Amino acid sequence: MNFVSRQSIVAALTLNALRPPRHQRAGVPAFVAGWLFGETAPQMLALTALDAATHLARSRRQGAGAKAGLALAGASALGLAHIIRQSRRVKDGFEEALVEGLGVDYVEQLDEVPDPADLATPWRRLARPFDFADDAVKVIENLPYSEAGRRGHLDIYLPAGEDAIEDAPVLLQVHGGAWTLGTKEHQGRPLMNRMAAKGWVCVAINYRLAPRDPWPAHIVDVKRAIAWVKDNIADYGGDPDYVAITGGSAGGHLTALAALTPGDPLFQPGFEDADTSVRAAVPFYGVYDLAGSTGLANAIGMRDGFLGPRVMQTTWQDSPEVYEAASPILRITPDAPDFFVIHGELDSLVSVDQARLFVADLRRTSEKSVVYAELPGAQHAFDTFHSIRSAHAVRAVDRYLSWHWNTWRHGLEADSGVEPDELDDSA
């Protein structure tokens, strides 16, 4: 492939990352082409510059084709530089969202107030975007929480130190994959590693997938996993009274739905009395309207073109109650737990309008805090590996969860009369 062809491809990918098409049919191709490319913009910029420099060094500057290639490389470099600047600015966007949702004094509940070094772009980490090895974390793999075989297994992430932990906060991670694919090992790793290294107990679960197991098998398994955590996590140092839940895409949907439906017998067959409540939910780029109740074209198209034939295996016309019960936006009550909702502005798989409307309804109805961060320029699944946006998202969620955990346990202390210096500092 010659220089002009290579730079034509890079330019097209850059344009797609900057302005992905919004119409329904182009959503999946735009995501596939733009997700990885946009989140590796620093690497792509370096490769583009190297390709252009190599071309110039070989004295191949003659002719209209060569000039066109250089022009394309220059345009791509400008676009990629813009993506990098935009990615770095999400740090400020996250902080503004936390202050808006929690108050300017939320940092007083953190273990440490973050300094500029804590918030700087981790360039060294970005050099190995898919390396999730972390010496500060150990993993106990493939514990069964249900009888679904491999799909009923979970992993537990713990701090690697030999000191025993006790009553640590628990974070449950639900993977995405359009309810039809995905595994516990391949999503949420940057966040789980960070929280486990800080003393949290993190649990990553598999769950049954469509089309082999149609809805509601997915949410039933998430509920069953929460019940397992409540019954067993103390054996691994976790506090069963404090469980937060997170996940992205389909995992974001399941995160939100589980948080909003504690004890719902429809989703707890055979374990109706189990406690499946959570203290906080952090859904990333979730699907909140499976019924199409918002009237959004994105939601209706997903309902009729994908969810019906592949996941629900029944149509909206035949079983509207199935879709309505599965839609987090229709399950909001005043008793909803605290939420931190995160979504990319340029998400071409799940319209950001779903998140905006979900957050608006939460803020109207819920009596708890609601934080919303909308990331300019971000596509779907931006946090699945180490990138600039992923790093700042992980740090922001760390601050949110630390605030939430400390606020919760200090509230318990205030209710019980225990002094602050008597709190367990293991987490």
Side-chain angles (χ1 to χ4, degrees):
M1 184 181 297
N2 62 32
F3 177 63
V4 177
S5 298
R6 290 194 301 271
Q7 291 309 316
S8 296
I9 293 172
V10 171
L13 290 171
T14 302
L15 180 60
N16 178 71
L18 289 167
R19 290 289 180 270
R22 297 299 186 104
H23 52 90
Q24 189 72 25
R25 289 186 177 180
V28 173
F31 162 69
V32 172
W35 157 66
L36 181 62
F37 187 86
E39 291 307 308
T40 57
Q43 293 92 330
M44 294 300 108
L45 178 58
L47 289 173
T48 298
L50 178 62
D51 194 18
T54 302
H55 179 78
L56 288 170
R58 291 176 177 174
S59 299
R60 296 178 177 174
R61 291 173 285 177
Q62 303 300 318
K67 292 178 180 179
L70 291 171
L72 288 168
S76 297
L78 290 174
L80 290 165
H82 174 74
I83 293 172
I84 294 168
R85 287 194 300 270
Q86 199 172 46
S87 299
R88 297 183 70 184
R89 285 200 296 267
V90 303
K91 170 186 66 176
D92 299 325
F94 272 119
E95 189 60 22
E96 291 169 4
L98 290 168
V99 169
E100 178 189 9
L102 307 178
V104 69
D105 59 348
Y106 89 92
V107 294
E108 296 176 6
Q109 292 290 348
L110 302 183
D111 298 325
E112 296 179 0
V113 176
D115 59 30
D118 296 326
L119 300 175
T121 300
W123 295 111
R124 183 174 298 179
R125 169 64 79 179
L126 301 186
R128 302 185 308 278
F130 300 101
D131 180 6
F132 301 116
D134 193 327
D135 293 338
V137 175
K138 63 181 179 182
V139 184
I140 302 173
E141 298 179 336
N142 294 322
L143 297 175
Y145 73 85
S146 78
E147 298 179 356
R150 185 173 63 90
R151 299 312 309 177
H153 286 175
L154 57 79
D155 297 339
I156 299 179
Y157 291 68
L158 301 167
E162 295 184 1
D163 293 339
I165 58 175
E166 184 177 352
D167 295 332
V170 180
L171 178 64
L172 179 67
Q173 157 70 26
V174 185
H175 72 76
W179 305 272
T180 62
L181 51 87
T183 63
K184 56 185 168 54
E185 297 88 357
H186 297 140
Q187 294 182 34
R189 293 291 300 275
L191 177 60
M192 288 190 293
N193 281 349
R194 183 176 180 93
M195 301 313 296
K198 293 188 63 172
W200 284 58
V201 175
C202 298
V203 181
I205 67 168
N206 279 339
Y207 52 87
R208 286 173 292 169
L209 301 172
R212 175 177 177 177
D213 292 292
W215 183 266
H218 318 70
I219 188 63
V220 169
D221 285 359
V222 172
K223 296 277 196 170
R224 197 178 293 280
I226 296 172
W228 186 95
V229 166
K230 300 265 186 171
D231 290 340
N232 296 278
I233 206 64
D235 296 339
Y236 302 92
D239 183 351
D241 290 331
Y242 186 92
V243 179
I245 187 169
T246 187
S249 193
H253 161 253
L254 294 168
T255 289
L257 187 62
L260 293 168
T261 58
D264 187 338
L266 178 66
F267 299 144
Q268 296 182 203
F271 60 110
E272 292 86 354
D273 295 332
D275 179 9
T276 57
S277 62
V278 297
R279 299 290 176 181
V282 186
F284 285 74
Y285 39 87
V287 183
Y288 304 109
D289 180 18
L290 279 70
S293 62
T294 59
L296 294 172
N298 175 262
I300 294 171
M302 185 183 299
R303 181 194 73 190
D304 296 338
F306 178 76
L307 290 171
R310 294 282 293 173
V311 180
M312 305 307 203
Q313 299 181 19
T314 184
T315 67
W316 158 255
Q317 290 77 13
D318 288 341
S319 307
E321 71 283 356
V322 172
Y323 291 81
E324 290 168 355
S327 295
I329 200 167
L330 298 178
R331 305 302 301 269
I332 299 170
T333 70
D335 296 327
D338 298 284
F339 264 84
F340 183 10
V341 179
I342 302 170
H343 214 98
E345 175 201 17
L346 299 183
D347 192 322
S348 61
L349 292 186
V350 183
S351 169
V352 68
D353 290 329
Q354 287 205 36
R356 292 169 180 167
L357 292 172
F358 178 64
V359 167
D361 280 1
L362 271 175
R363 287 175 170 167
R364 277 193 296 267
T365 306
S366 174
E367 296 177 354
K368 298 292 181 64
S369 66
V370 181
V371 180
Y372 176 53
E374 184 175 307
L375 280 55
Q379 250 288 4
H380 201 75
F382 61 85
D383 66 318
T384 52
F385 57 90
H386 298 297
S387 69
I388 297 174
R389 283 195 189 94
S390 175
H392 290 310
V394 165
R395 292 166 177 176
V397 174
D398 176 0
R399 297 199 297 280
Y400 173 79
L401 290 174
S402 297
W403 167 84
H404 196 277
W405 160 244
N406 287 329
T407 300
W408 180 79
R409 63 175 181 163
H410 290 167
L412 287 183
E413 168 220 303
D415 291 340
S416 63
V418 178
E419 293 300 320
D421 57 4
E422 295 180 45
L423 287 169
D424 177 15
D425 293 327
S426 64

